[in-house]
Amino acid sequence: MNNELLELFKGWLYSPQVVVLDTETTGLDDQAEVIEISVMDMRGKVLFDQLVRPLNPVPNEAADIHGITSESLADKPNFPDVYHSLKRVIGGKTVVAYNADFDCRLLMQTCAAYGLPVIEADWQCAMNAYTRYRKEPDAKRGGYRRQSLAKAAAQMGIEVNGAHRAVADCFTTVEVIKVMFTRLLVLDFMPCPIN
């Protein structure tokens, strides 16, 4: 499995067709919308970073997590205003996200809310890769335990600044991937003990 992960991380880190994306949203349900989107390359260059005014107010429960309020979004563009710029950045690319299923679903929901076509991309999940890397058993569900981005960063010794804001979470995701790759490389080159 280590060789498989090593190749995955190598592909993510060295391909110019790979970007990292994170969103902040109005919630978790099937009515939730994207209100912040950030995209960066694996070198940490921010390619897209935008707050977005949603159709409906930001619930207090969501604002308590990321700090983004309806008031702070009042003068921001709505999603159709940024759609084409976002599409130029992620369309046809490999998009790595920490919990890719969530970010992909919320982006699809937001497109649907405005009657816009889904932006085609190859979504890949850094959280699933971290779960396979960490191999921490999950007694309740079987398999391996999924870790939040903040927990993964702490376990890897990465300092987190600005958690639950899209650009900060992109940076943290990139760092987690780099540390996993580096540690796997070190393991790969360590000599086997001789009996």
Side-chain angles (χ1 to χ4, degrees), residues 2 6 9 130 133-134 152-158 176-190:
N2 283 352
L6 197 58
F9 299 145
Y130 184 77
Y133 168 84
R134 179 92 177 151
Q155 291 165 343
M156 302 300 273
I158 298 166
V176 167
I177 292 166
K178 286 179 179 178
V179 172
M180 285 189 290
F181 180 67
T182 302
R183 289 183 181 180
L184 286 173
L185 271 178
V186 169
L187 285 175
D188 199 42
F189 288 110
M190 288 179 65

Side-chain angles (χ1 to χ4, degrees), residues 4-73:
E4 186 181 305
L5 285 173
L6 197 58
E7 288 304 311
L8 177 66
F9 299 145
K10 182 178 171 184
W12 286 353
L13 290 167
Y14 294 106
S15 172
Q17 293 300 308
V18 176
V19 295
V20 173
L21 177 143
D22 190 75
T23 63
E24 299 304 329
T25 67
T26 60
L28 306 174
D29 64 19
D30 61 357
Q31 300 301 310
E33 300 172 64
V34 169
I35 56 173
E36 184 177 39
I37 312 163
S38 295
V39 181
M40 70 177 45
D41 65 20
M42 284 292 181
R43 294 182 312 273
K45 179 181 177 188
V46 176
L47 306 172
F48 188 90
D49 184 32
Q50 183 66 58
L51 288 166
V52 180
R53 185 178 69 247
L55 290 169
N56 299 301
V58 179
N60 290 336
E61 306 81 51
D64 288 346
I65 293 169
H66 47 57
I68 304 170
T69 63
S70 294
E71 294 75 25
S72 68
L73 299 173

Side-chain angles (χ1 to χ4, degrees), residues 119-162:
I119 300 171
E120 296 297 327
D122 174 21
W123 287 84
Q124 297 186 19
C125 188
M127 182 171 62
N128 289 345
Y130 184 77
T131 299
R132 290 180 9 231
Y133 168 84
R134 179 92 177 151
K135 299 178 187 170
E136 183 178 323
D138 187 337
K140 282 185 184 175
R141 290 180 225 126
Y144 298 126
R145 183 183 311 252
R146 295 169 54 153
Q147 308 287 337
S148 70
L149 180 57
K151 191 167 185 179
Q155 291 165 343
M156 302 300 273
I158 298 166
E159 185 177 331
V160 177
N161 295 306

Side-chain angles (χ1 to χ4, degrees), residues 160-172:
V160 177
N161 295 306
H164 294 297
R165 289 305 300 263
V167 77
D169 287 353
C170 282
F171 275 115
T172 303

